[in-house]
Amino acid sequence: MINNEIVKLLNNQLNLEFYSANLYLQMSAWCNYKTYEGFSVLLKKHSDEEIEHMKKLFDYICKSGNLAIINEIKAPPNNFKSIIDLFTQTYEHEKFITKNINNIIHSSITIQDYTTFSFLQWYIVEQHEEENLFKTILDKINLIDKYSNGLLILDNNIKKDYLKQ
Ligand code: OFO
């Protein structure tokens, strides 16, 4: 059994992963609507990954004899000022998720729950990759001259990369 306070934090994280999945799916829809096909594919795949993150937490909570609790998930934003605005929000969101994971890790170390500490190592590595992915895309978009066709080229390249996966 895991300490009740840790179960609460893990359940909160489980629901945040659900929110992340919905956020990226909604962003995928917006990109598709604005004809950014590559970004749309990337974000849809990313939404699937968030569901996997949620399920890992669900399994961990259930297999340790505790109750996984799914709460009401708030609706994500469905409109964005620009593609830069959208990817700024993805990057900020991942930084927020990293902070939450770090808080759970901090709590698990404090109460000497090394099983949860060890379980969460996977999320640390994953968060590092995700922050890096969205930061790189954001940096590239910022580098592109808005009057050139660079954004279209980047979108096409991302489409090719992500359709291969
Ligand atoms: Fe995008 O992060 Fe889940 O954990």
Side-chain angles (χ1 to χ4, degrees), residues 17 46 50 53 94 97 123 127 130:
E17 300 292 345
H46 214 79
E50 298 298 348
H53 301 173
E94 287 305 329
I97 294 292
Y123 285 84
Q127 281 313 116
E130 297 201 341

Short mmCIF file of all heavy atoms in Angstrom, two decimals, residues 17 46 50 53 94 97 123 127 130, ligand 1:
data_model
loop_
_atom_site.label_atom_id
_atom_site.label_comp_id
_atom_site.label_asym_id
_atom_site.label_seq_id
_atom_site.Cartn_x
_atom_site.Cartn_y
_atom_site.Cartn_z
N GLU A 17 -2.77 14.01 -16.67
CA GLU A 17 -2.36 13.35 -17.93
C GLU A 17 -3.56 13.27 -18.88
O GLU A 17 -3.42 13.42 -20.09
CB GLU A 17 -1.80 11.96 -17.67
CG GLU A 17 -0.57 11.90 -16.77
CD GLU A 17 0.69 12.51 -17.36
OE1 GLU A 17 0.76 12.74 -18.57
OE2 GLU A 17 1.62 12.76 -16.57
N HIS A 46 0.93 12.84 -29.97
CA HIS A 46 1.31 13.21 -28.62
C HIS A 46 0.17 13.00 -27.64
O HIS A 46 0.39 12.61 -26.48
CB HIS A 46 1.79 14.66 -28.61
CG HIS A 46 2.87 14.83 -27.63
ND1 HIS A 46 4.17 14.47 -27.87
CD2 HIS A 46 2.82 15.22 -26.34
CE1 HIS A 46 4.86 14.66 -26.79
NE2 HIS A 46 4.07 15.10 -25.85
N GLU A 50 0.04 10.76 -24.11
CA GLU A 50 -0.44 11.21 -22.79
C GLU A 50 -1.41 10.19 -22.19
O GLU A 50 -1.43 9.98 -20.98
CB GLU A 50 -1.11 12.59 -22.89
CG GLU A 50 -0.20 13.70 -23.37
CD GLU A 50 0.98 13.97 -22.44
OE1 GLU A 50 1.00 13.47 -21.31
OE2 GLU A 50 1.90 14.67 -22.88
N HIS A 53 0.70 7.68 -20.61
CA HIS A 53 1.21 8.17 -19.31
C HIS A 53 0.14 8.00 -18.24
O HIS A 53 0.43 7.63 -17.11
CB HIS A 53 1.59 9.66 -19.38
CG HIS A 53 2.64 9.99 -20.40
ND1 HIS A 53 3.00 11.27 -20.70
CD2 HIS A 53 3.38 9.18 -21.20
CE1 HIS A 53 3.94 11.26 -21.63
NE2 HIS A 53 4.18 9.99 -21.96
N GLU A 94 4.12 21.58 -20.45
CA GLU A 94 5.07 20.51 -20.07
C GLU A 94 5.93 20.93 -18.88
O GLU A 94 6.25 20.10 -18.03
CB GLU A 94 5.94 20.11 -21.26
CG GLU A 94 5.20 19.30 -22.32
CD GLU A 94 4.50 18.05 -21.79
OE1 GLU A 94 4.98 17.44 -20.81
OE2 GLU A 94 3.45 17.68 -22.34
N ILE A 97 3.83 20.31 -15.92
CA ILE A 97 3.76 18.87 -15.60
C ILE A 97 5.05 18.41 -14.91
O ILE A 97 5.01 17.67 -13.92
CB ILE A 97 3.51 18.04 -16.90
CG1 ILE A 97 2.12 18.35 -17.50
CG2 ILE A 97 3.66 16.53 -16.63
CD1 ILE A 97 0.94 17.90 -16.67
N TYR A 123 9.06 8.99 -15.65
CA TYR A 123 8.42 10.27 -15.98
C TYR A 123 9.44 11.40 -16.06
O TYR A 123 9.29 12.33 -16.85
CB TYR A 123 7.32 10.61 -14.96
CG TYR A 123 6.08 9.76 -15.15
CD1 TYR A 123 5.99 8.49 -14.60
CD2 TYR A 123 5.01 10.21 -15.92
CE1 TYR A 123 4.87 7.70 -14.80
CE2 TYR A 123 3.89 9.43 -16.13
CZ TYR A 123 3.82 8.17 -15.56
OH TYR A 123 2.72 7.38 -15.77
N GLN A 127 9.69 13.61 -19.31
CA GLN A 127 9.48 15.06 -19.24
C GLN A 127 10.64 15.82 -19.87
O GLN A 127 10.43 16.83 -20.53
CB GLN A 127 9.29 15.51 -17.78
CG GLN A 127 7.90 15.23 -17.24
CD GLN A 127 6.80 15.65 -18.20
OE1 GLN A 127 6.05 14.82 -18.68
NE2 GLN A 127 6.67 16.93 -18.50
N GLU A 130 10.09 15.61 -23.56
CA GLU A 130 8.93 16.38 -24.03
C GLU A 130 9.18 17.89 -23.98
O GLU A 130 8.83 18.60 -24.92
CB GLU A 130 7.69 16.02 -23.21
CG GLU A 130 7.33 14.57 -23.41
CD GLU A 130 5.89 14.26 -23.08
OE1 GLU A 130 5.25 15.04 -22.38
OE2 GLU A 130 5.43 13.21 -23.54
FE1 OFO B 1 3.45 15.45 -21.81
O1 OFO B 1 3.61 14.65 -20.18
FE2 OFO B 1 2.66 13.25 -19.70
O2 OFO B 1 3.74 12.92 -18.25
#
